[in-house]
Amino acid sequence: FEYDEDFRMFLALLAREVRRGRIEVHAYSLMHTHFHLLVRSVKGQLSLAMRAIQLGYSRWFNRTRRSDGPLYRGRFLSERIHGLEYRRNVTTYIHDNPVKAKMVAEQTDFGDGGVLPASIGREPLERTQFNTSTNHRRPARIDHAPMDVCRHRI
């Protein structure tokens, strides 16, 4: 991701998949060279959702830069998250990633470009909640359903 509009476009495509009901987003971090997502595949369509996001972003990126070719190296990586403690660790890792990469001084400084307040103890982003310009806080709820963490290097 080179510019703010790159972050916003990726988030818009992610939001579209949330509205379609394919995924719930529990945490995310968009870095300059890769992204991390903690998602729950609602209908077992994680690959379909990720394909739509990555293909849509690649097409947009290439069109806006008058370029062509792939942006991503192979398929995205995903692993299943079982257990609340592991989920907490993954969420912390995702949220701290921009700080460790020195993109921002504090996690809360990342704004639209990255870190979602929905994590352990908050509801996931659902169809009506996902907004690429503001963060919504919802009442506490912990969902113990298995999730996937996805990451990909651009």
Side-chain angles (χ1 to χ4, degrees):
F1 304 98
E2 297 173 346
Y3 306 107
D4 287 345
E5 66 184 15
D6 298 340
F7 289 106
R8 285 192 295 274
M9 177 52 98
F10 188 90
L11 290 175
L13 293 166
L14 184 63
R16 184 178 66 185
E17 294 307 304
V18 170
R19 285 190 303 274
R20 286 179 174 168
R22 291 181 179 157
I23 55 175
E24 289 176 351
V25 177
H26 291 259
Y28 73 86
S29 180
L30 306 182
M31 309 297 287
H32 292 296
T33 60
H34 65 282
F35 61 84
H36 299 276
L37 303 173
L38 178 60
V39 299
R40 187 170 78 89
S41 178
V42 180
K43 299 176 182 177
Q45 297 179 330
L46 178 62
S47 290
L48 187 61
M50 292 304 300
R51 180 174 180 246
I53 293 165
Q54 291 182 309
L55 184 60
Y57 183 78
S58 293
R59 285 181 176 167
W60 174 83
F61 185 93
N62 285 336
R63 187 174 54 250
T64 59
R65 288 167 174 81
R66 295 186 176 152
S67 181
D68 64 0
L71 288 183
Y72 301 98
R73 292 187 232 169
R75 185 182 183 277
F76 68 94
L77 303 172
S78 68
E79 62 184 77
R80 198 83 153 156
I81 304 295
H82 291 283
L84 191 56
E85 186 63 29
Y86 186 35
R87 181 176 163 189
R88 281 189 181 112
N89 291 339
V90 168
T91 301
T92 299
Y93 174 82
I94 290 171
H95 286 188
D96 289 346
N97 208 249
V99 177
K100 288 180 182 175
K102 299 185 189 239
M103 290 176 70
V104 294
E106 293 184 31
Q107 181 265 329
T108 55
D109 294 340
F110 213 44
D112 289 342
V115 180
L116 178 69
S119 58
I120 302 304
R122 292 206 169 77
E123 288 190 25
L125 288 181
E126 295 171 356
R127 282 174 239 174
T128 57
Q129 290 179 261
F130 203 101
N131 185 324
T132 59
S133 62
T134 59
N135 293 327
H136 297 280
R137 296 190 183 265
R138 300 277 307 242
R141 186 192 91 180
I142 296 176
D143 182 2
H144 297 285
M147 294 181 199
D148 292 294
V149 61
C150 301
R151 58 190 183 276
H152 207 293
R153 190 159 298 279
I154 298 174

